[in-house]
Amino acid sequence: MKKVIAEFIGTLWLVLGGCGSAVLAAAYPNLGIGFVGVALAFGLTVITMAYTIGRISGCHLNPAVSVGLWIAGRFSKKDLPFYILAQVSGGIFGAGILYLIASGHPDFALGNFAANGFNEHSPNGYDVYSVMTTEVVMTFIFLLIILGATHESAPKGFAGLVIGLGLTLIHLISIPVSNTSVNPARSTSQAVFVGGWALEQLWLFWVAPIVGAILAGLFYEYLSRNQQNA
């Protein structure tokens, strides 16, 4: 239960910090933080939570991460559904807090609410194939970073920093393409409030990250097995 609560709070913070920066601060008049600021905000949410709840739950904050770690033999299958439920519900709760804050402005308009999308709902108009490729590849790399940084032979104490900076770089690359998901819980949280097109396109932001995570888990397990046999 403590692990599930930790994942709920951590994912809530990921959505509130990352998507909140996009909704509240990215285009703020004169002092907007832009894509770079949003990318950094997502990375900072992971870094802060890694050192806060990492010792409790492992700080997955992402169904794709949990699936990838399970495939790589780093996570128990029996805990998987509970983690995913906590992550999705925590993300939705975080988006709810963000909505309450944002809707308090007299000129509030929901807009895309930092939701992920393709075609006309991609920030720069990328089609479904470009978005699918981006999400699979970025999640694949993200899981490799996580698996490498948390390996028993990796330098101790730096995993949270490495993973957070990795997520920042991923956002710098892919915000213009898809608004960056690599996380089905983050995508679901925003789609629930936007509805319509966001819910219709949500399938891609579950399928692509999980495919990327599975491929990374299999690949890293293969690399580790060969290393052990050498």
Side-chain angles (χ1 to χ4, degrees), residues 14-140:
L14 175 78
V15 168
L16 185 56
C19 296
S21 70
V23 171
L24 302 174
Y28 187 78
N30 302 320
L31 297 175
I33 62 175
F35 283 174
V36 174
V38 174
L40 185 59
F42 272 101
L44 288 172
T45 63
V46 170
I47 292 172
T48 53
M49 281 295 109
Y51 294 107
T52 303
I53 65 170
R55 63 184 181 82
I56 300 170
S57 69
C59 191
H60 297 188
L61 316 184
N62 183 337
V65 170
S66 296
V67 169
L69 292 174
W70 166 55
I71 292 294
R74 299 273 199 92
F75 185 59
S76 171
K77 183 179 180 179
K78 68 180 178 62
D79 291 333
L80 188 59
F82 300 105
Y83 266 54
I84 292 175
L85 179 61
Q87 291 154 1
V88 172
S89 57
I92 293 172
F93 201 89
I97 295 173
L98 175 57
Y99 181 84
L100 287 175
I101 295 170
S103 61
H105 193 281
D107 298 325
F108 171 72
L110 185 63
N112 71 1
F113 203 55
N116 303 111
F118 50 85
N119 292 333
E120 68 270 23
H121 301 295
S122 158
N124 213 21
Y126 286 89
D127 66 17
V128 63
Y129 303 106
S130 293
V131 171
M132 177 72 79
T133 301
T134 300
E135 289 293 326
V136 170
V137 172
M138 293 299 155
T139 311
F140 177 83

Side-chain angles (χ1 to χ4, degrees), residues 138-158:
M138 293 299 155
T139 311
F140 177 83
I141 296 298
F142 188 42
L143 261 293
L144 290 185
I145 292 170
I146 292 170
L147 288 164
T150 58
H151 192 273
E152 60 183 11
S153 63
K156 304 301 180 185
F158 292 98

Side-chain angles (χ1 to χ4, degrees), residues 127-201:
D127 66 17
V128 63
Y129 303 106
S130 293
V131 171
M132 177 72 79
T133 301
T134 300
E135 289 293 326
V136 170
V137 172
M138 293 299 155
T139 311
F140 177 83
I141 296 298
F142 188 42
L143 261 293
L144 290 185
I145 292 170
I146 292 170
L147 288 164
T150 58
H151 192 273
E152 60 183 11
S153 63
K156 304 301 180 185
F158 292 98
L161 184 61
V162 171
I163 294 166
L165 290 175
L167 187 61
T168 298
L169 178 56
I170 285 168
H171 277 77
L172 289 173
I173 297 167
S174 59
I175 286 176
V177 181
S178 64
N179 249 353
T180 309
S181 172
V182 303
N183 185 338
R186 169 261 188 272
S187 297
T188 301
S189 67
Q190 307 313 112
V192 165
F193 284 85
V194 175
W197 66 264
L199 289 174
E200 292 170 3
Q201 296 188 357

